[in-house]
Amino acid sequence: MSTSSVGVTPSFALMPMLRALVPTLSRLITLAGVVVLVGLLPWLSGRDPALSILRARAGDQNPTPEALDSIRAQLGLDMGPWEKLGHWLSNLLHGDAGVSWISGGPVLPGMLEATGVSLTLMLAALLVALVTTAALCVTAVRRGLSGEPAPTSGALGATLTALPEFLLAAILLVIFAAGLNWLPPYGWGEIRHLVLPALALGLPAGGLLGRLFSDGLTAGFSERWVATWHVAGFGRRRIALAVLKRILPSLLPQVGLVIVGLTGGAIAVEQVFSIPGLGRATLGAASAQDLPALQTGILLLLIMAVVLGGAAELGRTLLLGRTLRAGAVPVSRHESCRGRWPWLVPSVVVLLLVLVIAAGITRDPLASQYLRLQTPSLDLPLGADGTGRDILARVSHGALSTMGMALLVVSITFVLGVVIGLMPRLAAGPIEVTNATPPVIAGLVVAGLMGPSASGAIIAVTLVSWAPLAAHTAALVTEVQGQAHVRITPMLGVGRVRLLSRYLLPAVIGPVFRHAMLRLPGIALALAALGFLGLGPRPPAPEWGLLLAEGIPYLERAPWAVLVPSLALVLMSVLAVSLSSLWRR
């Protein structure tokens, strides 16, 4: 017996340690896989890196074999892909990320400086997002403290989430820089340069977090212990803080992912305001096929993702603490949607969208038959765009393709997010690393392998859009597994299949579905942005995001060119959020 116990006890002691190592190994393996993929991209694409570099350096130079061989020898491209990758990694361990294939200068100093710029912008945008989140949660807190927790419509949060960062940046430029001349239109180096970019990035992020926190607060205030605290005479402030502490563990991963998204997804804002940040530098390196700069930029983005994701997970563990280990996590009780007219908002929104589509579906969206930027009239209700095309016709025809592609991606990412999130430890690395990759970078990688196409844009956006849903699922699964009635199920003979179908899936499907619907407008914009950059659907396709991108240069002279597509995206966002709010357990 003693021999057996001596041999068995250490193995049991090692199990918690091994389980704790799984997320770390997941992050490291995923990070290594992405770095290898990026390093091999020029060879996987089937194009000659030397030819791309020659064209970037001297577009008019004849690509003779001698010139190409000289570039290969100069940059070590004659080593082959695996040898070149190993050489770069070896030098990186010694603090040398190589030299730029385009400029010839060292890569690492410039990328580190760009990282500092992006982190500064991220902190300012995060402050804006947190203030916006707090403002959007006031109603949910007031209802909860009054003893009547009920879901809010989420219309304001959905509207903010539906605002594209590049459109918001352009509007802020026109109003506060060009119109009022209060703030500088571009540049970096002073506090004033931070204000407009931080607002452009922080307001949509605050809209998303505000909707998620409002939903979580409603569920938290509906738990039975809150009523007990009211009866016991606890103060309103203490109860509100306790509910916030209760819901933070499941939402902290989302906060971490939003912070990472602020850093990696700020490419458009950095471009509009000419900010020398990491996202802009990485996009430029990807476009020029500057492999050392691209590798270094993505590596820095991924390191930030891993650090921020680990910090969010640590904070979540500290907040749950002994409650999770003891299996005493409270059970949320979701209230059904109340009110006399729960279908009023989605019905009105559907009616408006149907009217817009019906009014323009018989009109020609491609013909340039009007004056350039012609003002609205009875014959042309929404005016003409910069090339004389009917805006009403383009918005109407673009509705089906825009919403159809976005719904397809949301459906796929919802399924992927739930399936992958059911494995929280194994999924830690892929979730954090995937979320650190902006859709534009994913689009460049997919287009490099497949060529630009609508299907390639769908694949690229899908590849990076499942991560927030998986993180949300993983957080909810961990909490459910820490509840007393779930912790005891193995001792009652409940198998894994029944545990999954009876306890885990019902707890995650509703909240994650609502989260997926909230991301519908952002996915539609990501798809359209890839098309505008030549990585997906291309002009003259009438997708709403393309209409915005085409109309932004004329925002000051012809605001109707961006007003209607913006309102259409807002309506789509409000419809998605209001419908998802009706489906509650």
Side-chain angles (χ1 to χ4, degrees), residues 44 58 135 149 221 266 284 318-319 321 376 440-441 443 469 520-521 566 585:
L44 293 174
F221 276 111
L318 292 175
L319 283 172
V440 172
I441 300 297
L469 304 179
L520 181 65
S566 300
R585 293 191 297 114

Side-chain angles (χ1 to χ4, degrees), residues 229-381:
W229 281 37
H230 276 293
V231 173
F234 285 96
R236 294 165 61 90
R237 179 174 177 272
R238 186 171 179 183
I239 292 175
L241 290 176
V243 172
L244 179 61
K245 183 179 179 180
R246 163 71 182 93
I247 68 168
L248 265 181
S250 62
L251 293 177
L252 265 181
Q254 297 305 314
V255 176
L257 291 176
V258 168
I259 295 173
V260 174
L262 289 175
T263 305
I267 296 176
V269 173
E270 291 178 356
Q271 290 278 31
V272 170
F273 292 101
S274 299
I275 297 174
L278 183 59
R280 186 184 181 201
T282 305
L283 177 61
S287 302
Q289 244 190 343
D290 189 351
L291 182 58
L294 177 62
Q295 287 172 316
T296 306
I298 291 185
L299 184 62
L300 290 172
L301 284 171
L302 298 183
I303 289 174
M304 285 192 292
V306 170
V307 172
L308 292 171
E313 181 63 26
L314 177 61
R316 177 172 165 275
T317 302
L318 292 175
L319 283 172
L320 284 176
R322 291 175 295 179
T323 304
L324 181 61
R325 292 191 297 270
V329 178
V331 181
S332 297
R333 179 168 55 90
H334 296 275
E335 298 289 339
S336 59
C337 188
R338 292 181 287 181
R340 291 185 176 182
W341 311 103
W343 289 93
L344 179 61
V345 172
S347 299
V348 171
V349 172
V350 168
L351 178 62
L352 291 175
L353 288 174
V354 169
L355 287 176
V356 170
I357 294 172
I361 198 66
T362 59
R363 305 167 73 97
D364 190 344
L366 303 179
S368 300
Q369 53 188 352
Y370 298 98
L371 295 176
R372 186 169 177 267
L373 299 178
Q374 184 172 331
T375 57
S377 62
L378 290 177
D379 182 52
L380 194 64

Side-chain angles (χ1 to χ4, degrees), residues 8 36 83 185 188 202 252 429 472 520 536 572 577 581:
V8 173
V36 169
E83 187 179 358
W188 189 257
L252 265 181
H472 196 177
L520 181 65
M572 183 178 67
V577 174
S581 296

Side-chain angles (χ1 to χ4, degrees), residues 31 50 66 68 80 88 92 114 120 129 198 207 227-228 235 238 246 251 255 257 276 297 328 371-372 418 529 538:
L31 179 63
E66 292 78 10
L68 296 176
W88 178 78
L92 187 63
T120 303
T228 303
R238 186 171 179 183
R246 163 71 182 93
L251 293 177
V255 176
L257 291 176
L371 295 176
R372 186 169 177 267
V418 171
R538 300 183 179 184

Side-chain angles (χ1 to χ4, degrees), residues 155-230:
L156 181 55
T159 301
L160 291 175
T161 306
L163 289 175
E165 287 89 350
F166 63 85
L167 172 63
L168 192 54
I171 293 174
L172 292 173
L173 269 178
V174 170
I175 296 175
F176 295 103
L180 300 175
N181 199 26
W182 287 355
L183 295 165
Y186 57 85
W188 189 257
E190 300 179 11
I191 295 293
R192 298 189 307 153
H193 293 125
L194 262 177
V195 177
L196 296 183
L199 288 172
L201 273 176
L203 287 176
L208 175 60
L209 287 178
R211 187 65 185 92
L212 291 173
F213 270 83
S214 179
D215 198 19
L217 286 168
T218 300
F221 276 111
S222 68
E223 293 177 354
R224 292 181 176 87
W225 64 268
V226 177
T228 303
W229 281 37
H230 276 293

